[in-house]
């Protein structure tokens, strides 16, 4: 079974995230959207809110599951028996950052390799980031064009 983990903080989930998952669904038997705890981030939305946003957003996708984890993504993948990590790329800076993580993960899983699969975000969504959405929300701007309906509170 081809299972991919799509890790992130999803604070909140955006149309860019949605684009990646929607396009990856035909490639995998299951996609686990795994909300990770990043020790460097201060979250705007609680874990439960983020899980609910994602569950509602992908309610019509039976092969998409929502979970959460603490620690390294690669350890989570190993604990779930997952061989693929799904990542979206918006720009060259994303690629350089994600490439370093992918190489590190390959080193950490030499005997039981976990591969990272990169998808480019569609051009009309490549400017969207959760941090931009949070900034717009903070200053009461119109963020609704950047997020799925479940996030439009």
């Amino acid at each position: 079974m081809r299972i991919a983990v799509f890790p992130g903080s999803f604070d909140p989930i955006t149309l860019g995230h949605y684009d990646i998952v929607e396009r990856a669904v035909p490639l995998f038997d299951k996609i686990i959207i795994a909300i990770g705890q990043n020790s460097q981030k201060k979250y705007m939305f609680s874990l439960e809110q983020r899980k609910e946003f994602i569950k509602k957003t992908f309610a019509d996708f039976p092969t998409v599951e929502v979970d959460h984890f603490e620690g390294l993504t690669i350890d989570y993948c190993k604990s779930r028996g997952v061989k693929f990590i799904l990542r979206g790329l918006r720009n060259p800076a994303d690629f350089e950052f994600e490439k370093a993580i992918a190489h590190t993960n390959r080193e950490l899983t030499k005997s039981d390799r976990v591969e990272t699969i990169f998808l480019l975000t569609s051009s009309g969504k490549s400017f969207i980031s959760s941090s931009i959405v949070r900034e717009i929300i903070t200053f009461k701007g119109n963020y609704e064009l950047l997020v799925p309906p479940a996030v439009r509170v």
Side-chain angles (χ1 to χ4, degrees):
M1 192 171 200
R2 291 180 326 260
I3 303 172
V5 166
F6 185 41
S9 58
F10 305 103
D11 187 37
I13 187 167
T14 69
L15 291 178
H17 297 124
Y18 181 86
D19 174 65
I20 295 298
V21 174
E22 179 183 46
R23 290 177 29 240
V25 161
L27 305 175
F28 298 98
D29 299 308
K30 180 195 284 190
I31 297 174
I32 302 168
I33 300 175
I35 303 170
Q37 184 65 30
N38 184 328
S39 61
Q40 308 272 319
K41 289 190 177 181
K42 181 168 171 51
Y43 298 106
M44 176 174 274
F45 297 99
S46 71
L47 173 61
E48 288 309 315
Q49 286 174 304
R50 290 179 279 152
K51 283 173 83 171
E52 194 59 30
F53 292 156
I54 296 167
K55 285 179 183 177
K56 285 181 179 176
T57 297
F58 293 101
D60 294 333
F61 291 77
T63 61
V64 174
E65 175 186 320
V66 182
D67 198 7
H68 69 280
F69 69 99
E70 291 187 26
L72 298 176
T73 301
I74 201 68
D75 291 337
Y76 175 76
C77 290
K78 286 190 225 177
S79 76
R80 295 289 308 259
V82 172
K83 300 291 183 197
F84 301 100
I85 297 173
L86 175 64
R87 298 299 294 160
L89 300 175
R90 294 172 297 184
N91 54 48
D94 279 356
F95 173 73
E96 290 301 324
F97 178 75
E98 295 292 344
K99 179 179 75 168
I101 293 171
H103 285 311
T104 302
N105 286 340
R106 287 183 81 197
E107 281 297 310
L108 294 173
T109 61
K110 278 186 176 182
S111 62
D112 197 25
R113 184 142 304 165
V114 174
E115 291 291 342
T116 302
I117 308 299
F118 297 114
L119 289 182
L120 299 177
T121 305
S122 297
S123 62
K125 313 262 183 324
S126 64
F127 66 95
I128 303 171
S129 73
S130 292
S131 57
I132 288 172
V133 170
R134 287 191 308 274
E135 188 78 1
I136 294 169
I137 291 170
T138 298
F139 291 104
K140 301 189 181 354
N142 183 10
Y143 67 95
E144 283 123 3
L145 300 171
L146 307 175
V147 297
V151 182
R152 299 174 192 160
V153 291

